[in-house]
Amino acid sequence: MRAAIGRDHGLAAWRSAWLAPPVAALGLIFAYPFAWMVGRAFSAPDGGYGLAAFEAILRSRGFIASLLATGRISLTATAICVVLGVTLALAIRFAPFPGARVVSRVIDAYLAFPSFLIAIALTFVYGSSGFLHSLLAGAGGRSFLFGFWGVVIAEVTYYTPFVVRPLLAALDSLDIAQLEAASSLGARPIEVLRRIVLPAMMPSLFAGGSLCLLLTINEFGIILIMGVKHSITLPMLIYGKAIEEFDYPGASAVAICNVALSLSLYLVYRSAMRRLQR
Amino acid sequence: MSSVGIESPATESPIVTPAKEGENERPPRIAVRGLGVSYGTQRVLEAIDLEVFPGEVVVLLGRSGSGKSTLLRAIAGFVTAESGSIVLGGRDLTRAPPHARGLGLVVQNYALFPHMRVEENVAFGLRARRRSRADTMAAVTRFLDLVGMGAYRQRYPRELSGGQQQRVALARALAIEPDALLLDEPLSALDAPLRAEMIEELRRLHERLPDIAVVHVTHDQSEAMALADRIVLLHEGRIVAQGSPRALYDRPPNARTARFFGQANLLPVTILQGAERPAHTDAGGSAWSPVCIAGQTLLAATTTSSPTNGRALLCVRASEFRLARPSGAAGDGSDGGARMNVLQGRVRSVHWLGATQRLLVDLGEATIRAELPERTTVPRPGETIALEFAPEGAVLLAEE
Amino acid sequence: MNGLYLTDRARRLWATLALTLCTVVFGLPLLVLLLASFAGHWDALWPSSPTWANLRGVLASAEERAALWHSVATAGAATVCALVLGAWGALAGRRLGRRTRICVDTLFVLPITVPSVTVGLALLVTFSRPPLLWNGTVSLVVLTHVALVASYAYANAKAGLERLPAHLEEMAASLGGSPWFVLRKVTLALLMPHLLAGAALGFALSMGELGATIMLYPPGWATAPVEIFSLSDRGSVFSAAALSLALLAATATALVALERWAASRRH
């Protein structure tokens, strides 16, 4: 109905003409290059089109290994983020500790930090010259944290805020009268949590979790700085192929696989968000 | 009793009650002709004709969804006319954008600009017209004083109460010295005492600006009664009736109008044909018709739109009824010509409402609702009652 | 008070757990970064030989100073362009049909949905050949950042437009404001806080952008994140930490300046 009320001064075509400049600009700097990259991935060595680049990367062991590494890292990190996020959000909301406000401000600030800063910082915590290392050195723990778990811990640090934020929003909109009704009907706090609070959090948790998974799959800075040799993720593989091997078609093919993965996760996230808004 | 328009504007042009003598001859400030509006496939306004004259307050009255707000928004230029024309101050502005129409608009939530102070809000329309700074400031002072908000010019809207925001919104609309003032449910967001106060304030404002034409949209019939020179009743996108509040209340042209104003009983009656008791006209020019309900014969006032035979509806307001005097004392016609209708029925229930008491009386074919003064001693439920009412208080309407 | 009636003991336990987790997970990295920026060595449990040398080194080194400047210049230019692009897109798109709006939304949100490395790769591949040979130019770095930052500008502008109080623009038009007058005095004026929030977020993210920049930065225009990576890759971890701190400080300074400027324009 709203659309029909719209002003009638000038035709619809005239109104959409205003959209042309920004769309053209973004088309030039994003859509056009992206389309070109897709074309590049499907180009055959003889100048025609084909799946040669995809066949090549599917045959290479590096691609499968990096796909598995990406999945392993992002699923582990996301799972921990979700558990940690739920714990923190519930604590901030229901058991406010001294400085809980400061923590939620810090959590907001984390969203604007570059992720690699965490990696730099963790170098000193867990790295070969870090204090955990010196703690564990006696126990014979060589910097095991610098491998897979190092990356996971860095990603958990950086991405937990992305889970906490929507959860806090969901908890804020929770009707306290509902909780009180449940308590007055005889439910103990743990039951109130399980039967009322958690169900109310689920959509936000799903949205935050899928966003977290999407971002950890796309994460680049942390892994680049931590220089994990045996945990080459898809973005690292793209970087390696393009910058170190100058294999543009190969890099493009990997990029397309990565984009497909990201976009399907993004669609899951969108549908979760839409359910939230309803 | 003549100032009553009826449902089909095609057959009879709406009859207008002028605000003051002779003002009819001046051209209308707003002239809407054959206006039709649709939202998508849904027709929301159909063949609307409306004229508003300088100095006149026209209230568009109707339930939500009746199209009253859409009509106002079409006049203001926010809704596109699909058919028909809108002439403002003699110029056809059917297709003109809102900013070229020169109308002052006040809406329910005031729509004050939150980032501007009161004086900047009032100055907005003048700045848009590139008036000189001195002119603008003079007008701001004048109109803020007019609505009694002169002391608040440096405030932001969020620092004002609802009633104060309303006044600022009025000053802002008046500051552009519009041909007409459009008020879209301006009082609906206020609580009841404040609303009564603002109604008084609006009346005073109309007196101080005698030349302005006002279109006021509301769903509240008492607000309409208090403010209107003329009420235009809308239902499902059409004008159902228009006329002065008094005319619409006393002589509703149709059942829908009768239902909208006050507590009306609409009783199914049969019109008695001439053989039994002829319809006649009295000295004052009013026409009367005998009707029958539940075996009792009554006399009803007729209008030009009343039916002349068959089934009809008799509209009697609940407050018209009185307790009939004992049957022996009421001589038929021997009472100096003040002929009264009498209805007998069985009391179903009595509710005390403070100033009045409400009775439900069973006639057999219908139930009537009567409101009697508090001190009247009334029969108890189950007993028989005789109620009387003047024929002038009963209007014969067509069935729906 | 909050609807969940925990016993005091349970509340304390939970609060302690949460506080500990927060400190370890969020507080520790920042603290460590701060300490490392001022540390001469970090071989034992705690850093040793506190020094200004790392920070002084950053400020003394022409390369690192240039990297900071490149970051600020790139982020500043990209943010301004992205703000115009995003606000324009959101304004022009809002009165259009549902399908058009979804297309515009998608176009604006895609750059931050896909990995930044692929954005860098796409621009690298495309602009390395005619007709547009932009590879190796500073403008390409800025344009890449524009594409990324425009998403945030657009999202914020759109959210702001949705929150615009009803009927204000209609009211402004009926008071005689021409479309351009209404856009300036009402729409943009009310949108300003949202645009500034979008600009701040976009600027901060642009300052820290690594994935796309590292794919296509020309020699001589290494941004601070790129420089931090190469420092850390060469093993100069303390310098890397100090430059990181300088990057954060530069970002914070710019954002505070933006805030000040906005506040001064309001009054």
Side-chain angles (χ1 to χ4, degrees), chain C residues 53-228:
Chain C
N54 302 327
L55 266 186
R56 215 179 292 129
V58 167
L59 297 178
S61 147
E63 262 175 36
E64 290 164 25
R65 261 205 332 255
L68 274 177
W69 156 242
H70 296 156
S71 274
V72 173
T74 307
T79 303
V80 171
C81 298
L83 208 52
V84 174
L85 218 57
W88 192 333
L91 280 167
R94 66 176 166 153
R95 294 207 193 280
L96 300 178
R98 212 177 88 86
R99 205 165 297 167
T100 323
R101 266 202 328 266
I102 289 176
C103 288
V104 178
D105 282 1
T106 310
L107 179 65
F108 271 97
V109 84
L110 265 183
I112 55 162
T113 309
V114 302
S116 53
V117 181
T118 57
V119 177
L121 176 69
L123 277 96
L124 177 69
V125 172
T126 307
F127 296 117
S128 297
R129 52 170 47 238
L132 296 168
L133 260 173
W134 291 346
N135 188 17
T137 65
V138 175
S139 330
L140 190 58
V141 180
V142 175
L143 289 181
T144 312
H145 283 229
V146 170
L148 294 171
V149 177
S151 298
Y152 298 99
Y154 176 79
N156 271 284
K158 202 174 146 228
L161 283 173
E162 276 161 15
R163 264 176 226 141
L164 219 58
H167 302 313
L168 283 188
E169 292 164 290
E170 285 188 350
M171 182 57 76
S174 92
L175 286 167
S178 64
W180 173 236
F181 189 83
V182 175
L183 179 70
R184 273 186 312 137
K185 298 283 177 179
V186 177
T187 316
L188 283 178
L190 285 169
L191 213 51
M192 207 33 104
H194 297 273
L195 292 181
L196 286 176
L201 182 61
F203 182 83
L205 291 168
S206 174
M207 287 289 278
E209 212 295 319
L210 180 60
T213 316
I214 205 168
M215 300 291 285
L216 40 66
Y217 73 96
W221 195 264
T223 59
V226 171
E227 188 65 25
I228 290 168

